[in-house]
Amino acid sequence: PGGLRAGAVLADGGVALWSLGASGWRRAADLVRPGGADRAEGFALVGHRSGPTCAVVGGGGVRLRSLSSGDAWWRPTLRPATRVALLQGADWRLSLAAVVEDEVHCWQEDEALRWRPVPLEQC
């Protein structure tokens, strides 16, 4: 049914989210406002057990946030990043990969749902 379904990096470096409801698509929120080091260059969104989770990358590093758990961002690195992927495994745990200063870095939830860095081949 309805709910958050899409997000995109805008030309100004902001990130907007859209939801699909009975009356069609509508802009639901501005997740990242443009400007400064937090200007977004990449975005990923996945729905899972606790609701939508998103990852944003840019000059300010990598940020991850569960949209159902408030406004707090987890920032595994503050080094500039350009691309990001976020996916849910068969065990419901999330994996995050990002290109950080031309090198791929990966993080994954452990059994206690805490994020930890993992080698690329495990991501």
Side-chain angles (χ1 to χ4, degrees), residues 2-14:
L4 187 61
R5 293 288 185 249
V9 175
L10 306 175
D12 63 7

Side-chain angles (χ1 to χ4, degrees), residues 83-94:
R83 297 183 185 263
V84 65
L86 182 63
L87 60 97
Q88 175 181 283
D91 59 0
W92 292 91
R93 290 188 291 165
L94 295 177

Side-chain angles (χ1 to χ4, degrees), residues 87-110:
L87 60 97
Q88 175 181 283
D91 59 0
W92 292 91
R93 290 188 291 165
L94 295 177
S95 294
L96 169 67
V99 177
V100 179
E101 295 179 334
D102 296 324
E103 185 178 305
V104 177
H105 290 255
C106 296
W107 299 268
Q108 191 173 65
E109 290 181 306
D110 64 16

